[in-house]
Amino acid sequence: MKFSTMRLAAAAFTGMGVLLAGPAQAGKTLDAVKARGQIVCGVSTGLAGFSQADSNGKWSGLDVDVCRALAAALFNDPEKVKYVPLSAPQRFTALQSGEVDVLPRNTTFTLTRDASLGLSATVVNYYDGQGFMVPVKTKLKSAKQLKGQTVCVQSGTTTEKNLADFSKANNLNIKPVVFDKLEAANAAYFSGRCVAYTTDASGLASIRAKEAKDPKEHLVLPDLISKEPLGPMVRRGDDEWFAIVKWVMYGMLEAEEYGVTQANVDQMKASSADPVVMRLLGGGNEDTGKLLGLDKDWMTRAIKAVGNYGESFERNVGAKSAVNLPRGLNNLWNKGGLMYAYPIR
Amino acid sequence: MSRKSPPRRKNWTWRSQALRGLVYQFFAIGAVALGVWWLAGNTMHNMQVRGIQSGFDFLARPAGFDIGESLYAFDSNHPYWQAFLVGLTNTLRVAVIGIILTTVLGVLLGVGRFSRNALVRGLCYAYVEFFRNVPVLLQLLMWYVFFTEALPAAAQAWTLGPLFLSKGGLSFPIPVWETGHLWGLYGLIAGAALAFAYRRWAFRRFEATGRPRSLFWVPLGLLFAMGALGWATGGAPAHFVVPVRGEFAIEEGGSLTPEFMAVLLGLSIYTAAFVAEVVRAGIQSVARGQGEAAAAIGLSQTQSMRLVQLPQALRVIIPPLTNQYLNLTKNSSLAVAIGYPDVVSIANTALNQTGRAVECIAIVMLVYLTTSLATSIFMNWYNVRAAIKER
Ligand SMILES: N[C@@H](CCC(=O)N[C@@H](CS)C(=O)NCC(=O)O)C(=O)O
């Protein structure tokens, strides 16, 4: 019964059928990537600090570094990545249909996404929460003062649902104005159409820093109304590829924890007495990469390309970057944060 | 044309053209059906292999998101199907009002092309050429930018009596419902019946005596007079909820959002350019002699247009006009670009919330298919009615 209704509906769009009719090879992403000589990486259409292309088309950001580290680990060249910019509503289809190999695109891990989209959540690369931004001149101090007001949001995000929950829980009757493109949502907020703008707090910081005419005229309110663990997703059913993404990310955390940096990685590899460092970098007779289908220098190359997690964080979104986010929850577990890598051994 | 020619009898022998035609059609349809079936099966198989869940069961689950504007109260714990319903009504709201606006505007512009005043002719021409040559998406964005950038913030809203126009949209007073209004409604119904009766009587008198009576103003007057009488009988209730300036927005009263106004204006103004051309072509198709004959029997220019030329032009106008109505309805799906919660926007959100892409797109397709077919059916019926009755 369910099958037949589905089939009937599916019959309505043969176009879709063609789209999804591509090769459904589970477990073969690594082979495909190697044969192609390039990783195809789904990123946002432009969110400063996370993934943004400069005027020469060169991508950078915390999410982009995941792609670069992967490319370095695989091909010894962080440039061997093709970036596919995806708006929020496009991203999952792009990953499902095989258009991209991995999706580091400030994407929240949720049960629905993990369990029903045919995707798997790898490792969190930014612990976030949803916040609100308002013009300073409104003198608003808390999101709870937004009763009956309009709030701009981007569709295809967890944001819409959180906003509805928050509005209901606090009896605020907030009116969302929903746009499918980031620029449209930004433009509407900055034009004054909405009293507030809501999305991940990191996204707000980035938009405030890069898109506002004068960042000082806008304030990110202290309220965080949700948990938004952001990280790369991959297609489900390809455990090898899943493991590679996961462990390259853990490797970057482990490197920070043990003091391995972009600058000292060669020297550490040659002279460190710490067996953890040796395993991470493939020094001596250690070869952790082999278990993943890579070679022993996988993490040495990745760290040379992008540095450890802390370096990547500071360079892209940290206090000295334009986005200026505190390390907060994204500090290492032994420094008061939540970042905790499984042991590389 | 003689209606007497005997109907062609089909000859169902083997080798007959009729049979061959049938067989070909059978195979063609069969091949298409098989192809679709195969693709559908393939899609579903692939989705299953990849662990993508499917089915329409999500429609009964709570939507979990709010919708900025809706004709009836929608709450985030209402089910998805109701969210789709809100989207549908929002789409229809734009389509129906848009079709009315575009028709009025388009007819005026089309008729204006025949004006004896060169300025009017030129303006109508310029309008058509400008608006039909700029992509409609751009026009929507232009209107939206106008509403959100050019208009003042709520605190400095432009006011005209109880009306407020600002970035937040147009706010206006709405009457508070009281039982007295019911009397007004009864009055309107009685007025409509009277107007109808009057029209029939006036028409018959006209046929009998040739003396024309107003078939428009008098019935309209009757309608409103009766409505007003009923309303007065009900105690003339006149309480309004008047919009007031809030801290960040105009509060209370009724309002039209800038998203709605931008979509409505953008689509109506764009489509009117095409309707104007359709109307012009229709009028041009009426033989010149008709206008001259009308003049010869002493009809004024307006009368000639209204009573002789337009009714005949209608036959030519209606089919392409239907196309324009369908275009307007379908173009309303561009509304998502400027944040109007039409059915596409709702489907987008639902799709992303649930991951049921195939299902949500199917629903959207079904919505547009049914509204388009309904429009076509209605217009075909009207076309048959407007066709010249040959005697
Ligand atoms: N973390 C949320 C929101 C992610 C998201 O898409 N945020 C927006 C607003 S900051 C964005 O990055 N848009 C960029 C784009 O569409 O290219 C989610 O996964 O749903």
Side-chain angles (χ1 to χ4, degrees):
Chain A
M1 170 59 201
K2 193 173 148 206
F3 189 87
S4 58
T5 46
M6 248 326 285
R7 191 157 192 166
L8 214 65
F13 15 69
T14 36
M16 196 87 188
V18 177
L19 179 80
L20 287 169
Q25 293 168 308
K28 293 286 181 285
T29 309
L30 181 58
D31 292 347
V33 166
K34 277 186 176 157
R36 207 190 298 127
Q38 213 182 24
I39 297 174
V40 185
C41 209
V43 292
S44 78
T45 58
L47 195 60
F50 287 85
S51 49
Q52 197 178 40
D54 66 14
S55 51
N56 302 318
K58 195 170 155 37
W59 287 85
S60 64
L62 189 71
D63 283 340
V64 165
D65 276 354
V66 174
C67 311
R68 291 173 59 84
L70 278 167
L74 252 63
F75 303 119
N76 191 19
D77 182 355
E79 306 298 329
K80 291 235 154 64
V81 185
K82 185 179 148 204
Y83 296 96
V84 178
L86 298 167
S87 76
Q90 294 168 331
R91 59 185 149 171
F92 299 119
T93 323
L95 184 58
Q96 287 167 338
S97 66
E99 194 187 335
V100 300
D101 301 315
V102 56
L103 183 74
R105 192 207 160 285
N106 53 336
T107 292
T108 308
F109 297 156
T110 67
L111 184 142
T112 311
R113 290 175 175 179
D114 200 30
S116 73
L117 298 186
L119 306 177
S120 295
T122 59
V123 177
V124 174
N125 72 337
Y126 193 96
Y127 286 99
D128 208 348
Q130 182 172 333
F132 291 86
M133 175 160 71
V134 294
V136 169
K137 64 170 190 281
T138 60
K139 301 207 177 64
L140 288 169
K141 288 286 166 280
S142 157
K144 301 217 168 109
Q145 294 171 290
L146 288 169
K147 194 167 178 79
Q149 302 304 339
T150 50
V151 174
C152 286
V153 292
Q154 192 183 4
S155 77
T157 56
T158 47
T159 318
E160 280 181 273
K161 230 171 178 148
N162 294 332
L163 181 64
D165 289 352
F166 176 73
S167 166
K168 176 160 269 272
N170 295 287
N171 201 7
L172 293 180
N173 189 20
I174 288 175
K175 296 192 204 68
V177 187
V178 183
F179 299 86
D180 65 342
K181 295 225 165 53
L182 182 66
E183 311 94 83
N186 290 348
Y189 168 72
F190 288 118
S191 79
R193 165 64 182 113
C194 303
V195 176
Y197 191 5
T198 184
T199 183
D200 303 337
S202 64
L204 291 177
S206 160
I207 292 164
R208 176 175 175 270
K210 285 287 175 155
E211 315 292 339
K213 260 188 230 104
D214 180 3
K216 284 195 287 299
E217 285 174 3
H218 298 273
L219 174 73
V220 177
L221 298 176
D223 320 57
L224 288 185
I225 65 168
S226 70
K227 289 187 289 189
E228 306 289 326
L230 311 179
M233 296 194 90
V234 293
R235 269 184 300 286
R236 198 197 273 218
D238 189 338
D239 299 348
E240 258 179 83
W241 180 245
F242 176 85
I244 290 173
V245 176
K246 175 162 114 180
W247 287 102
V248 165
M249 295 178 69
Y250 280 150
M252 287 172 67
L253 286 173
E254 194 86 328
E256 183 181 7
E257 189 173 335
Y258 287 87
V260 183
T261 64
Q262 201 166 13
N264 73 10
V265 55
D266 280 330
Q267 178 206 335
M268 291 283 268
K269 185 172 178 174
S271 61
S272 173
D274 189 339
V276 176
V277 173
M278 293 317 258
R279 278 198 289 272
L280 177 71
L281 301 179
N285 290 327
E286 296 289 352
D287 188 354
T288 44
K290 190 163 177 224
L291 304 174
L292 292 168
L294 304 172
D295 63 19
K296 60 189 285 190
D297 293 327
W298 63 296
M299 268 325 289
T300 311
R301 290 196 299 265
I303 294 166
K304 251 193 210 158
V306 303
N308 64 37
Y309 177 78
E311 290 176 286
S312 172
F313 188 101
E314 291 308 331
R315 182 173 61 242
N316 294 304
V317 297
K320 284 199 232 39
S321 74
V323 185
N324 190 10
L325 287 165
R327 192 71 194 265
L329 288 179
N330 295 294
N331 220 326
L332 292 177
W333 62 283
N334 51 8
K335 293 189 182 142
L338 294 175
M339 288 295 178
Y340 181 104
Y342 295 178
I344 312 257
R345 74 168 105 86
Chain B
M1 265 267 281
S2 154
R3 288 273 167 91
K4 302 266 162 58
S5 61
R8 266 208 297 152
R9 285 254 308 285
K10 283 193 175 148
N11 179 4
W12 291 109
T13 59
W14 186 245
R15 317 194 63 178
S16 72
Q17 202 184 351
L19 185 72
R20 251 184 304 150
L22 203 72
V23 170
Y24 289 152
Q25 284 177 31
F26 179 79
F27 278 115
I29 292 176
V32 171
L34 257 167
V36 169
W37 185 250
W38 178 79
L39 281 170
N42 206 7
T43 307
M44 290 176 56
H45 172 76
N46 279 324
M47 281 171 49
Q48 232 153 40
V49 167
R50 291 170 186 196
I52 303 172
Q53 294 181 5
S54 56
F56 286 96
D57 51 330
F58 73 96
L59 286 174
R61 289 208 298 265
F65 57 90
D66 284 325
I67 301 175
E69 57 186 300
S70 98
L71 288 183
Y72 71 96
F74 178 82
D75 182 287
S76 61
N77 52 27
H78 289 174
Y80 274 104
W81 67 265
Q82 285 194 12
F84 274 100
L85 211 61
V86 171
L88 174 65
T89 50
N90 281 342
T91 294
L92 291 182
R93 180 153 78 118
V94 166
V96 171
I97 305 180
I99 282 174
I100 296 170
L101 282 185
T102 207
T103 310
V104 173
L105 195 59
V107 169
L108 288 179
L109 287 163
V111 171
R113 295 290 292 272
F114 296 93
S115 165
R116 266 185 273 170
N117 181 331
L119 186 67
V120 172
R121 268 199 322 269
L123 278 178
C124 292
Y125 174 73
Y127 176 101
V128 168
E129 289 310 324
F130 179 78
F131 284 104
R132 75 170 175 180
N133 287 316
V134 177
V136 62
L137 180 59
L138 223 62
Q139 296 193 29
L140 293 188
L141 292 172
M142 188 187 84
W143 285 107
Y144 193 54
V145 167
F146 167 74
F147 280 117
T148 54
E149 297 277 359
L151 294 183
Q156 293 90 35
W158 295 342
T159 52
L160 182 72
L163 302 180
F164 290 82
L165 188 63
S166 71
K167 286 182 201 297
L170 179 70
S171 295
F172 47 84
I174 43 169
V176 187
W177 176 257
E178 287 165 55
T179 34
H181 283 127
L182 217 53
W183 283 95
L185 201 66
Y186 296 150
L188 278 179
I189 295 171
L194 263 177
F196 185 71
Y198 170 82
R199 265 188 71 119
R200 286 190 55 153
W201 173 81
F203 208 72
R204 247 183 282 128
R205 292 305 300 160
F206 172 67
E207 300 255 278
T209 64
R211 209 185 126 221
R213 286 190 166 79
S214 164
L215 292 179
F216 182 71
W217 294 112
V218 175
L220 197 72
L222 278 173
L223 184 72
F224 280 110
M226 290 305 288
L229 201 68
W231 174 70
T233 315
H239 291 112
F240 284 88
V241 184
V242 183
V244 291
R245 236 184 266 266
E247 204 172 341
F248 312 114
I250 306 294
E251 285 159 10
E252 314 281 337
S255 69
L256 299 177
T257 64
E259 291 80 28
F260 174 75
M261 291 192 293
V263 177
L264 185 68
L265 277 183
L267 288 181
S268 308
I269 286 175
Y270 170 77
T271 318
F274 292 87
V275 172
E277 283 299 274
V278 167
V279 170
R280 181 174 71 97
I283 294 173
Q284 260 167 358
S285 77
V286 177
R288 257 184 92 80
Q290 295 286 328
E292 289 166 358
I297 60 169
L299 296 189
S300 75
Q301 225 211 348
T302 334
Q303 277 176 326
S304 152
M305 183 58 88
R306 202 164 62 81
L307 299 171
V308 177
Q309 288 167 288
L310 266 184
Q312 295 188 64
L314 222 52
R315 287 177 304 156
V316 181
I317 290 175
I318 292 173
L321 190 64
T322 310
N323 279 342
Q324 294 311 326
Y325 289 174
L326 296 182
N327 280 346
L328 187 143
T329 310
K330 286 181 288 184
N331 282 339
S332 72
S333 62
L334 295 170
V336 61
I338 54 171
Y340 180 67
D342 74 328
V343 69
V344 175
S345 161
I346 301 296
N348 254 349
T349 297
L351 184 162
N352 279 285
Q353 236 52 277
T354 61
R356 305 288 163 92
V358 174
E359 292 82 348
C360 289
I361 292 171
I363 292 173
V364 171
M365 288 174 62
L366 193 74
V367 163
Y368 282 106
L369 196 67
T370 23
T371 45
S372 292
L373 284 178
T375 315
S376 293
I377 290 171
F378 174 78
M379 291 302 284
N380 283 343
W381 166 81
Y382 186 58
N383 193 21
V384 170
R385 247 192 64 145
I388 286 198
K389 313 264 184 314
E390 288 177 8
R391 284 185 264 214

